[in-house]
Amino acid sequence: MLSTEEKNAIIALIHQEVIPAIGCTEPMAVALCVAKATEILGRKPEQIDLRLSANILKNAMGVGIPGTGMIGLPIAIALGALIGRSELELEVLHDCNKEAVEEGKRFIDENRIDIKLEEEDPDKLFINVVCMADGHKAEARIKTHHTNFVYLAKDGQEIKGEETTSNVALTSGDANVGRAVEDQEPVLTLSKVYEFATETDVEDLRFILEAKRLNEEAAASGLRDNYGHQLGKTMCSPLGRGIMGNSIFSKVLSVTSCACDARMAGAMIPVMSNSGSGNQGICATLPVVVFAEENHNTEEELIRALIISNLTAIYIKQNLGSLSALCGCVVASTGSSCGITYLMGGTFEQICYSVKNMIANLTGMICDGAKPSCALKLTTGVGTAVMSAMLAIQHKYVTSAEGIIEDDVDRSIRNLTAIGSKGMDETDRFVLDIMTHKC
């Protein structure tokens, strides 16, 4: 049985990792770092120099920046300097407006931004910003997590250094929960995830319904307007209904896709992210929400299923890292498959089956950056999540005689994360090389 201290630590971890974000989290993290450096400088920068890890570059090249009608890093950087507010963290560009966008375009045209690839620091999530004006300069650095400042300085005088931060992941979570420290994060297993989600007082878990509210609003926006490739709207059209029908399955896919369409195209709407990714938050939340509504589950069952889904994704990401060559929808849809299995009346054993089915199917799906077509990948992941749950509830699952699956579900998860974090490193470099050398 989990102790009160363990439960409180897990609640703090969820508050740390499940937070609102406007726009794709990689360009928003860069804008956040620029905003912080600008605030330290105390004036509008004349020049901004950035060093970014390959994974940050990859995930920021093709995604829409909210409120701008533009894609890519330069406008996010310019707006971070002009109107960014670091206290808003991943909602740093909340105050974006038409005038700011026009000023940002001029800032870009004046060649005030210099972006370079960071090749020395091994961290896959690395952002270093130097802002300069009137002979002064300010520096800010983020590593490991999207809001984790490890170094701040003005004119070479360190304000905050790595050795003094203890890798604190600064979040906008409940102030009463406190700010979690990575070294003190609870060590999770799938059985701990299940025990916490099913035995904790439901009133202590009710906060997760905010993820439902935000991500449903994002889905409604994606259905209402024409964003990205309009995959969600297409599935809701006469053509989509004619092919896909009007089943629970089709509704799960279309609602999830609508939210992703809006987010990746730069809609000025917040979503509830998971482990530093809005798409992961969408994928861990909306399939569970839609299934619960269609299956007429109780609110308590929905809350517990959402906790299972989101905490499973957090657990997997603890082992995988914030950014990797593995598409985040693999992680998040594995969580949603667990949540859906629970809503079907599944036991812990059957939830383990659903995880094994997911790992056997989706391992190896590459991340080739954040972009509108991520909606297709989310749909693939969510579709697999539903099928994996359907098999699991009938005690049908991939066994240890097949591929990378082991009898122990946690070892199967570690096999998945080892492939994503280490085995696919060369794939990651190759993908970035293709992306940066396209004609």
Side-chain angles (χ1 to χ4, degrees):
M1 179 179 293
L2 294 174
S3 67
T4 300
E5 290 74 18
E6 283 181 295
K7 287 183 179 180
N8 288 339
I10 293 173
I11 289 173
L13 176 62
I14 298 173
H15 276 285
Q16 174 182 301
E17 299 293 351
V18 180
I19 61 174
I22 295 177
C24 177
T25 46
E26 277 70 57
M28 291 306 105
V30 174
L32 170 63
C33 202
V34 172
K36 176 64 79 173
T38 300
E39 290 163 4
I40 294 170
L41 186 65
R43 67 203 78 188
K44 186 175 97 171
E46 297 169 357
Q47 177 70 28
I48 305 176
D49 293 344
L50 303 97
R51 301 197 324 272
L52 308 174
S53 61
N55 288 77
I56 289 288
L57 284 170
K58 181 179 71 174
N59 279 342
M61 288 172 62
V63 70
I65 306 302
T68 69
M70 300 171 67
I71 65 170
L73 274 172
I75 190 62
I77 292 166
L79 290 175
L82 297 172
I83 54 93
R85 291 165 56 197
S86 67
E87 72 270 17
L88 297 179
E89 298 182 327
L90 295 181
E91 296 180 278
V92 59
L93 300 186
H94 181 274
D95 297 335
C96 180
N97 54 44
K98 188 178 295 185
E99 292 74 21
V101 172
E102 291 306 311
E103 187 179 357
K105 290 177 181 178
R106 290 192 294 273
F107 195 92
I108 295 168
D109 291 341
E110 291 165 356
N111 295 317
R112 297 181 181 274
I113 299 170
D114 183 40
I115 303 171
K116 289 185 169 63
L117 176 66
E118 171 60 36
E119 299 187 88
E120 293 183 10
D121 195 290
D123 204 300
K124 292 185 178 182
L125 199 164
F126 179 94
I127 304 164
N128 195 86
V129 174
V130 177
C131 291
M132 293 166 279
D134 298 329
H136 297 277
K137 71 174 185 178
E139 186 171 0
R141 185 179 305 147
I142 287 175
K143 283 180 63 173
T144 308
H145 298 292
H146 292 78
T147 56
N148 185 39
F149 285 98
V150 298
Y151 181 78
L152 301 172
K154 184 172 183 179
D155 293 330
Q157 185 68 39
E158 186 176 317
I159 299 170
K160 181 180 183 182
E162 244 176 310
E163 71 277 7
T164 63
T165 63
S166 301
N167 287 329
V168 176
L170 305 177
T171 76
S172 56
D174 188 336
N176 293 324
V177 172
R179 290 181 169 179
V181 178
E182 185 182 34
D183 292 343
Q184 297 175 3
E185 284 182 359
V187 177
L188 296 174
T189 62
L190 196 63
S191 62
K192 275 191 179 181
V193 169
Y194 179 79
E195 183 180 350
F196 172 81
T198 56
E199 296 185 8
T200 303
D201 189 322
V202 72
E203 294 304 316
D204 293 335
L205 307 177
R206 190 170 292 277
F207 66 86
I208 201 66
L209 290 178
E210 181 66 4
K212 170 183 181 292
R213 184 187 70 81
L214 286 181
N215 292 344
E216 280 186 323
E217 288 180 0
S221 178
L223 182 60
R224 185 170 56 249
D225 299 310
N226 294 329
Y227 288 113
H229 299 295
Q230 301 171 45
L231 178 59
K233 287 189 76 168
T234 299
M235 281 193 256
C236 294
S237 69
L239 173 64
R241 294 295 189 213
I243 295 173
M244 303 287 293
N246 195 32
S247 64
I248 296 176
F249 184 68
S250 67
K251 289 179 181 178
V252 166
L253 298 185
S254 62
V255 170
T256 305
S257 299
C258 278
C260 184
D261 284 332
R263 178 174 178 269
M264 289 288 93
M268 195 65 177
I269 50 171
V271 302
M272 191 65 83
S273 66
N274 182 300
S275 304
S277 167
N279 280 350
Q280 286 171 196
I282 289 168
C283 198
T285 301
L286 288 178
V288 176
V289 168
V290 175
F291 188 90
E293 290 174 352
E294 296 293 320
N295 198 47
H296 304 292
N297 289 100
T298 66
E299 184 179 67
E300 179 176 341
E301 289 169 338
L302 170 61
I303 289 170
R304 296 192 185 281
L306 285 172
I307 292 292
I308 288 173
S309 179
N310 278 274
L311 192 53
T312 297
I314 291 168
Y315 163 41
I316 297 173
K317 289 293 282 187
Q318 277 185 330
N319 293 277
L320 182 63
S322 296
L323 296 176
S324 74
L326 187 70
C327 177
C329 81
V330 176
V331 174
S333 57
T334 299
S336 62
S337 187
C338 294
I340 290 170
T341 303
Y342 173 80
L343 291 172
M344 288 178 173
T347 62
F348 174 67
E349 182 181 40
Q350 289 165 315
I351 287 172
C352 292
Y353 294 163
S354 72
V355 171
K356 292 179 180 182
N357 291 340
M358 291 295 294
I359 292 173
N361 193 341
L362 289 182
T363 297
M365 181 185 285
I366 65 166
C367 171
D368 55 344
K371 60 215 175 297
S373 62
C374 285
L376 290 163
K377 293 192 176 187
L378 258 67
T379 303
T380 297
V382 171
T384 303
V386 175
M387 289 186 286
S388 294
M390 288 170 57
L391 287 173
I393 205 70
Q394 300 177 78
H395 291 269
K396 297 175 181 176
Y397 63 98
V398 179
T399 70
S400 59
E402 306 169 69
I404 64 170
I405 301 304
E406 302 204 28
D407 291 327
D408 182 270
V409 68
D410 294 296
R411 290 183 65 180
S412 297
I413 288 171
R414 285 195 292 274
N415 290 344
L416 166 72
T417 57
I419 290 171
S421 62
K422 299 175 184 177
M424 295 175 69
D425 272 350
E426 183 59 31
T427 298
D428 210 20
R429 287 189 287 270
F430 202 83
V431 167
L432 182 65
D433 185 64
I434 291 172
M435 291 174 64
T436 54
H437 290 88
K438 288 189 291 186
C439 296

